[in-house]
Short mmCIF file of all heavy atoms in Angstrom, two decimals:
data_model
loop_
_atom_site.label_atom_id
_atom_site.label_comp_id
_atom_site.label_asym_id
_atom_site.label_seq_id
_atom_site.Cartn_x
_atom_site.Cartn_y
_atom_site.Cartn_z
N ALA A 1 -18.47 -3.25 -11.19
CA ALA A 1 -19.23 -4.50 -11.37
C ALA A 1 -19.76 -4.59 -12.82
O ALA A 1 -19.87 -3.58 -13.51
CB ALA A 1 -20.44 -4.56 -10.39
N PRO A 2 -20.04 -5.76 -13.27
CA PRO A 2 -20.54 -5.94 -14.61
C PRO A 2 -21.73 -5.10 -14.95
O PRO A 2 -22.73 -5.12 -14.15
CB PRO A 2 -20.81 -7.43 -14.74
CG PRO A 2 -19.92 -8.06 -13.76
CD PRO A 2 -19.88 -7.11 -12.59
N GLY A 3 -21.76 -4.36 -15.99
CA GLY A 3 -22.86 -3.53 -16.43
C GLY A 3 -23.02 -2.28 -15.56
O GLY A 3 -24.06 -1.58 -15.76
N LYS A 4 -22.10 -1.96 -14.68
CA LYS A 4 -22.23 -0.78 -13.84
C LYS A 4 -20.99 0.11 -14.01
O LYS A 4 -19.99 -0.31 -14.48
CB LYS A 4 -22.43 -1.19 -12.38
CG LYS A 4 -23.76 -1.95 -12.18
CD LYS A 4 -24.07 -2.11 -10.70
CE LYS A 4 -25.43 -2.73 -10.51
NZ LYS A 4 -25.77 -2.87 -9.08
N GLN A 5 -21.21 1.35 -13.55
CA GLN A 5 -20.07 2.32 -13.57
C GLN A 5 -19.13 2.09 -12.42
O GLN A 5 -19.46 1.54 -11.38
CB GLN A 5 -20.62 3.72 -13.51
CG GLN A 5 -21.33 4.12 -14.79
CD GLN A 5 -21.71 5.59 -14.83
OE1 GLN A 5 -22.39 6.13 -13.95
NE2 GLN A 5 -21.21 6.29 -15.81
N ARG A 6 -17.91 2.56 -12.66
CA ARG A 6 -16.86 2.47 -11.62
C ARG A 6 -17.27 3.34 -10.43
O ARG A 6 -17.77 4.51 -10.65
CB ARG A 6 -15.53 2.88 -12.21
CG ARG A 6 -14.38 2.79 -11.23
CD ARG A 6 -13.04 2.99 -11.93
NE ARG A 6 -12.93 4.29 -12.58
CZ ARG A 6 -12.02 4.72 -13.38
NH1 ARG A 6 -11.02 3.88 -13.64
NH2 ARG A 6 -12.06 5.95 -13.90
N GLU A 7 -17.04 2.90 -9.21
CA GLU A 7 -17.40 3.66 -8.05
C GLU A 7 -16.27 3.60 -7.02
O GLU A 7 -15.53 2.64 -6.96
CB GLU A 7 -18.71 3.13 -7.47
CG GLU A 7 -18.62 1.72 -6.99
CD GLU A 7 -19.96 1.17 -6.42
OE1 GLU A 7 -20.87 2.01 -6.16
OE2 GLU A 7 -20.06 -0.05 -6.24
N LEU A 8 -16.19 4.63 -6.22
CA LEU A 8 -15.23 4.67 -5.14
C LEU A 8 -15.61 3.68 -4.07
O LEU A 8 -16.71 3.57 -3.65
CB LEU A 8 -15.21 6.08 -4.55
CG LEU A 8 -14.35 6.24 -3.30
CD1 LEU A 8 -12.83 6.13 -3.68
CD2 LEU A 8 -14.61 7.60 -2.60
N VAL A 9 -14.60 2.97 -3.60
CA VAL A 9 -14.74 2.08 -2.46
C VAL A 9 -14.20 2.78 -1.20
O VAL A 9 -14.92 2.92 -0.19
CB VAL A 9 -13.99 0.74 -2.64
CG1 VAL A 9 -14.15 -0.15 -1.40
CG2 VAL A 9 -14.54 0.04 -3.87
N ALA A 10 -13.01 3.23 -1.26
CA ALA A 10 -12.39 3.88 -0.14
C ALA A 10 -11.10 4.66 -0.62
O ALA A 10 -10.52 4.21 -1.64
CB ALA A 10 -11.98 2.93 1.00
N SER A 11 -10.74 5.65 0.09
CA SER A 11 -9.56 6.36 -0.26
C SER A 11 -8.83 6.82 1.08
O SER A 11 -9.44 6.91 2.13
CB SER A 11 -9.84 7.63 -1.09
OG SER A 11 -10.65 8.57 -0.40
N ILE A 12 -7.56 7.09 0.98
CA ILE A 12 -6.79 7.55 2.10
C ILE A 12 -5.80 8.56 1.70
O ILE A 12 -5.06 8.35 0.72
CB ILE A 12 -6.13 6.32 2.84
CG1 ILE A 12 -5.41 6.73 4.05
CG2 ILE A 12 -5.22 5.53 1.84
CD1 ILE A 12 -5.00 5.58 4.96
N MET A 13 -5.72 9.69 2.42
CA MET A 13 -4.83 10.73 2.09
C MET A 13 -3.47 10.53 2.78
O MET A 13 -3.35 9.61 3.57
CB MET A 13 -5.42 12.07 2.56
CG MET A 13 -6.74 12.44 1.92
SD MET A 13 -7.42 14.02 2.47
CE MET A 13 -6.25 15.15 1.77
N ASP A 14 -2.49 11.28 2.36
CA ASP A 14 -1.17 11.17 2.95
C ASP A 14 -1.20 11.45 4.44
O ASP A 14 -0.33 10.99 5.19
CB ASP A 14 -0.14 12.09 2.24
CG ASP A 14 -0.58 13.47 2.13
OD1 ASP A 14 -1.63 13.83 2.67
OD2 ASP A 14 0.11 14.27 1.48
N SER A 15 -2.16 12.25 4.90
CA SER A 15 -2.30 12.57 6.32
C SER A 15 -2.92 11.44 7.09
O SER A 15 -2.94 11.42 8.32
CB SER A 15 -3.17 13.81 6.50
OG SER A 15 -4.50 13.57 5.99
N GLY A 16 -3.51 10.43 6.39
CA GLY A 16 -4.11 9.33 7.04
C GLY A 16 -5.67 9.42 7.07
O GLY A 16 -6.34 8.51 7.49
N ILE A 17 -6.21 10.52 6.63
CA ILE A 17 -7.62 10.73 6.63
C ILE A 17 -8.22 9.81 5.60
O ILE A 17 -7.78 9.72 4.44
CB ILE A 17 -8.00 12.18 6.30
CG1 ILE A 17 -7.57 13.09 7.40
CG2 ILE A 17 -9.53 12.35 6.09
CD1 ILE A 17 -7.73 14.60 7.14
N THR A 18 -9.28 9.08 5.94
CA THR A 18 -9.91 8.13 5.10
C THR A 18 -11.29 8.52 4.70
O THR A 18 -11.96 9.30 5.36
CB THR A 18 -9.98 6.73 5.80
OG1 THR A 18 -10.70 6.84 7.02
CG2 THR A 18 -8.57 6.23 6.04
N ASN A 19 -11.74 7.93 3.61
CA ASN A 19 -13.09 8.13 3.15
C ASN A 19 -13.66 6.79 2.59
O ASN A 19 -12.95 6.18 1.83
CB ASN A 19 -13.17 9.22 2.01
CG ASN A 19 -14.50 9.49 1.57
OD1 ASN A 19 -15.47 9.66 2.31
ND2 ASN A 19 -14.70 9.59 0.21
N TYR A 20 -14.86 6.46 3.03
CA TYR A 20 -15.46 5.22 2.60
C TYR A 20 -16.77 5.40 1.97
O TYR A 20 -17.61 6.28 2.37
CB TYR A 20 -15.64 4.27 3.84
CG TYR A 20 -14.36 3.81 4.49
CD1 TYR A 20 -13.81 4.51 5.51
CD2 TYR A 20 -13.73 2.62 4.05
CE1 TYR A 20 -12.60 4.07 6.11
CE2 TYR A 20 -12.60 2.17 4.63
CZ TYR A 20 -12.04 2.88 5.66
OH TYR A 20 -10.89 2.43 6.30
N ALA A 21 -17.05 4.60 0.97
CA ALA A 21 -18.36 4.51 0.40
C ALA A 21 -19.30 3.89 1.49
O ALA A 21 -18.81 3.17 2.36
CB ALA A 21 -18.41 3.69 -0.85
N ASN A 22 -20.53 4.21 1.41
CA ASN A 22 -21.49 3.71 2.42
C ASN A 22 -21.48 2.20 2.52
O ASN A 22 -21.55 1.63 3.61
CB ASN A 22 -22.88 4.23 2.15
CG ASN A 22 -23.09 5.73 2.48
OD1 ASN A 22 -22.33 6.23 3.36
ND2 ASN A 22 -24.01 6.36 1.82
N PHE A 23 -21.40 1.56 1.37
CA PHE A 23 -21.44 0.09 1.38
C PHE A 23 -20.18 -0.49 2.05
O PHE A 23 -20.16 -1.72 2.40
CB PHE A 23 -21.59 -0.48 -0.04
CG PHE A 23 -20.50 -0.19 -0.96
CD1 PHE A 23 -19.28 -0.90 -0.91
CD2 PHE A 23 -20.62 0.85 -1.90
CE1 PHE A 23 -18.27 -0.60 -1.79
CE2 PHE A 23 -19.55 1.14 -2.85
CZ PHE A 23 -18.44 0.40 -2.75
N ALA A 24 -19.16 0.25 2.12
CA ALA A 24 -17.89 -0.24 2.69
C ALA A 24 -17.72 0.05 4.19
O ALA A 24 -16.88 -0.61 4.84
CB ALA A 24 -16.66 0.37 1.94
N LYS A 25 -18.46 0.97 4.66
CA LYS A 25 -18.33 1.38 6.08
C LYS A 25 -18.65 0.19 7.00
O LYS A 25 -19.69 -0.44 6.88
CB LYS A 25 -19.26 2.51 6.41
CG LYS A 25 -18.86 3.84 5.70
CD LYS A 25 -19.87 4.96 6.04
CE LYS A 25 -19.46 6.28 5.35
NZ LYS A 25 -20.43 7.35 5.61
N GLY A 26 -17.76 -0.02 7.97
CA GLY A 26 -17.99 -1.12 8.91
C GLY A 26 -17.54 -2.42 8.41
O GLY A 26 -17.49 -3.38 9.26
N ARG A 27 -17.26 -2.58 7.19
CA ARG A 27 -16.83 -3.89 6.59
C ARG A 27 -15.36 -3.83 6.03
O ARG A 27 -14.69 -4.78 6.14
CB ARG A 27 -17.81 -4.33 5.49
CG ARG A 27 -19.21 -4.63 5.97
CD ARG A 27 -19.95 -5.36 4.89
NE ARG A 27 -20.10 -4.61 3.65
CZ ARG A 27 -19.84 -5.04 2.47
NH1 ARG A 27 -19.42 -6.28 2.33
NH2 ARG A 27 -19.98 -4.34 1.36
N PHE A 28 -15.08 -2.72 5.40
CA PHE A 28 -13.79 -2.60 4.70
C PHE A 28 -12.90 -1.61 5.52
O PHE A 28 -13.36 -0.69 6.13
CB PHE A 28 -13.90 -2.09 3.31
CG PHE A 28 -14.74 -3.02 2.39
CD1 PHE A 28 -14.99 -2.64 1.13
CD2 PHE A 28 -15.15 -4.25 2.84
CE1 PHE A 28 -15.68 -3.42 0.26
CE2 PHE A 28 -15.89 -5.11 1.96
CZ PHE A 28 -16.09 -4.66 0.67
N ASN A 29 -11.61 -1.82 5.38
CA ASN A 29 -10.61 -0.95 5.99
C ASN A 29 -9.49 -0.68 5.02
O ASN A 29 -8.92 -1.66 4.48
CB ASN A 29 -10.05 -1.55 7.30
CG ASN A 29 -9.09 -0.63 8.00
OD1 ASN A 29 -9.48 0.43 8.49
ND2 ASN A 29 -7.83 -1.02 8.09
N ILE A 30 -9.21 0.59 4.79
CA ILE A 30 -8.14 0.95 3.94
C ILE A 30 -6.95 1.45 4.73
O ILE A 30 -7.12 2.15 5.82
CB ILE A 30 -8.59 2.05 2.93
CG1 ILE A 30 -7.53 2.27 1.86
CG2 ILE A 30 -8.95 3.36 3.62
CD1 ILE A 30 -8.01 3.12 0.66
N SER A 31 -5.76 1.13 4.36
CA SER A 31 -4.55 1.58 4.99
C SER A 31 -3.48 1.76 3.95
O SER A 31 -3.59 1.27 2.84
CB SER A 31 -4.11 0.56 6.09
OG SER A 31 -3.84 -0.71 5.53
N ARG A 32 -2.42 2.41 4.36
CA ARG A 32 -1.28 2.63 3.39
C ARG A 32 0.02 2.55 4.12
O ARG A 32 0.14 2.85 5.37
CB ARG A 32 -1.45 3.91 2.66
CG ARG A 32 -1.33 5.20 3.52
CD ARG A 32 -1.73 6.44 2.75
NE ARG A 32 -0.67 6.86 1.85
CZ ARG A 32 -0.77 7.88 0.97
NH1 ARG A 32 -1.92 8.55 0.85
NH2 ARG A 32 0.22 8.21 0.18
N ASP A 33 1.01 2.14 3.42
CA ASP A 33 2.39 2.11 3.87
C ASP A 33 3.19 3.07 3.01
O ASP A 33 3.51 2.78 1.87
CB ASP A 33 2.95 0.69 3.83
CG ASP A 33 4.33 0.60 4.43
OD1 ASP A 33 5.09 1.59 4.48
OD2 ASP A 33 4.67 -0.52 4.84
N ASN A 34 3.49 4.24 3.50
CA ASN A 34 4.12 5.25 2.69
C ASN A 34 5.54 4.88 2.31
O ASN A 34 6.02 5.33 1.26
CB ASN A 34 4.10 6.58 3.46
CG ASN A 34 2.71 7.17 3.59
OD1 ASN A 34 1.86 6.94 2.77
ND2 ASN A 34 2.51 7.96 4.66
N ASP A 35 6.25 4.10 3.15
CA ASP A 35 7.57 3.68 2.85
C ASP A 35 7.61 2.75 1.61
O ASP A 35 8.60 2.72 0.93
CB ASP A 35 8.22 3.03 4.07
CG ASP A 35 8.44 3.99 5.22
OD1 ASP A 35 8.64 5.17 4.95
OD2 ASP A 35 8.54 3.42 6.35
N LYS A 36 6.53 2.06 1.49
CA LYS A 36 6.44 1.08 0.37
C LYS A 36 5.61 1.59 -0.77
O LYS A 36 5.42 0.90 -1.80
CB LYS A 36 5.88 -0.25 0.85
CG LYS A 36 6.71 -0.93 1.90
CD LYS A 36 6.04 -2.27 2.28
CE LYS A 36 6.90 -2.97 3.38
NZ LYS A 36 6.25 -4.25 3.77
N ASN A 37 5.05 2.82 -0.66
CA ASN A 37 4.15 3.35 -1.67
C ASN A 37 3.05 2.39 -1.97
O ASN A 37 2.68 2.13 -3.12
CB ASN A 37 4.86 3.70 -2.99
CG ASN A 37 5.74 4.92 -2.82
OD1 ASN A 37 5.50 5.81 -1.96
ND2 ASN A 37 6.75 5.04 -3.62
N ALA A 38 2.48 1.85 -0.88
CA ALA A 38 1.47 0.80 -1.01
C ALA A 38 0.19 1.14 -0.35
O ALA A 38 0.19 1.93 0.64
CB ALA A 38 1.97 -0.53 -0.47
N VAL A 39 -0.93 0.60 -0.81
CA VAL A 39 -2.21 0.81 -0.19
C VAL A 39 -2.88 -0.53 -0.12
O VAL A 39 -2.71 -1.38 -0.96
CB VAL A 39 -3.09 1.81 -0.95
CG1 VAL A 39 -3.39 1.30 -2.38
CG2 VAL A 39 -4.34 2.13 -0.20
N TYR A 40 -3.66 -0.74 0.91
CA TYR A 40 -4.28 -2.01 1.18
C TYR A 40 -5.77 -1.89 1.45
O TYR A 40 -6.18 -0.81 1.97
CB TYR A 40 -3.63 -2.75 2.40
CG TYR A 40 -2.14 -2.78 2.36
CD1 TYR A 40 -1.36 -1.83 2.94
CD2 TYR A 40 -1.49 -3.82 1.70
CE1 TYR A 40 0.04 -1.88 2.85
CE2 TYR A 40 -0.14 -3.84 1.59
CZ TYR A 40 0.60 -2.92 2.15
OH TYR A 40 2.00 -2.92 2.16
N LEU A 41 -6.53 -2.84 1.08
CA LEU A 41 -7.95 -2.85 1.37
C LEU A 41 -8.32 -4.17 1.99
O LEU A 41 -8.28 -5.19 1.31
CB LEU A 41 -8.80 -2.62 0.11
CG LEU A 41 -10.28 -2.49 0.32
CD1 LEU A 41 -10.63 -1.21 1.07
CD2 LEU A 41 -11.00 -2.56 -1.01
N GLN A 42 -8.63 -4.15 3.29
CA GLN A 42 -9.10 -5.35 3.99
C GLN A 42 -10.61 -5.38 3.90
O GLN A 42 -11.29 -4.44 4.34
CB GLN A 42 -8.64 -5.33 5.51
CG GLN A 42 -9.12 -6.44 6.27
CD GLN A 42 -8.50 -7.79 5.90
OE1 GLN A 42 -7.31 -7.81 5.64
NE2 GLN A 42 -9.34 -8.80 5.75
N MET A 43 -11.08 -6.40 3.27
CA MET A 43 -12.50 -6.53 3.02
C MET A 43 -13.05 -7.74 3.85
O MET A 43 -12.55 -8.88 3.78
CB MET A 43 -12.80 -6.79 1.53
CG MET A 43 -12.29 -5.69 0.60
SD MET A 43 -12.81 -5.88 -1.07
CE MET A 43 -11.92 -7.40 -1.48
N ASN A 44 -13.95 -7.43 4.76
CA ASN A 44 -14.55 -8.39 5.63
C ASN A 44 -16.03 -8.47 5.37
O ASN A 44 -16.66 -7.58 4.72
CB ASN A 44 -14.31 -8.08 7.10
CG ASN A 44 -12.85 -7.97 7.46
OD1 ASN A 44 -12.03 -8.84 7.05
ND2 ASN A 44 -12.43 -6.94 8.17
N SER A 45 -16.68 -9.54 5.81
CA SER A 45 -18.09 -9.73 5.68
C SER A 45 -18.54 -9.50 4.21
O SER A 45 -19.49 -8.79 3.96
CB SER A 45 -18.89 -8.78 6.58
OG SER A 45 -18.48 -8.98 7.95
N LEU A 46 -17.80 -10.15 3.37
CA LEU A 46 -18.04 -9.97 1.93
C LEU A 46 -19.45 -10.40 1.48
O LEU A 46 -19.96 -11.40 2.03
CB LEU A 46 -17.03 -10.66 1.08
CG LEU A 46 -15.63 -9.98 1.05
CD1 LEU A 46 -14.61 -11.02 0.50
CD2 LEU A 46 -15.73 -8.76 0.17
#
């Protein structure tokens, strides 16, 4: 964010294990498509 440091939102390992920042829990969902080398972040209740 403007004037602030970069912070983790969410991450996902190749095993599927996820990690979320507290502000993202319950609102955001991270997923990945290994075949496409892609990662997605669904953000709700913005």
Side-chain angles (χ1 to χ4, degrees):
K4 297 191 175 183
Q5 291 189 301
R6 185 171 59 187
E7 61 183 348
L8 173 71
V9 179
S11 64
I12 182 167
M13 300 180 66
D14 53 5
S15 64
I17 296 175
T18 58
N19 182 44
Y20 293 91
N22 286 333
F23 63 79
K25 292 179 180 177
R27 297 194 298 132
F28 298 176
N29 182 66
I30 189 169
S31 61
R32 64 190 285 175
D33 186 335
N34 293 331
D35 292 334
K36 297 180 179 179
N37 287 335
V39 63
Y40 309 94
L41 184 69
Q42 178 66 44
M43 302 187 294
N44 302 315
S45 302
L46 285 166

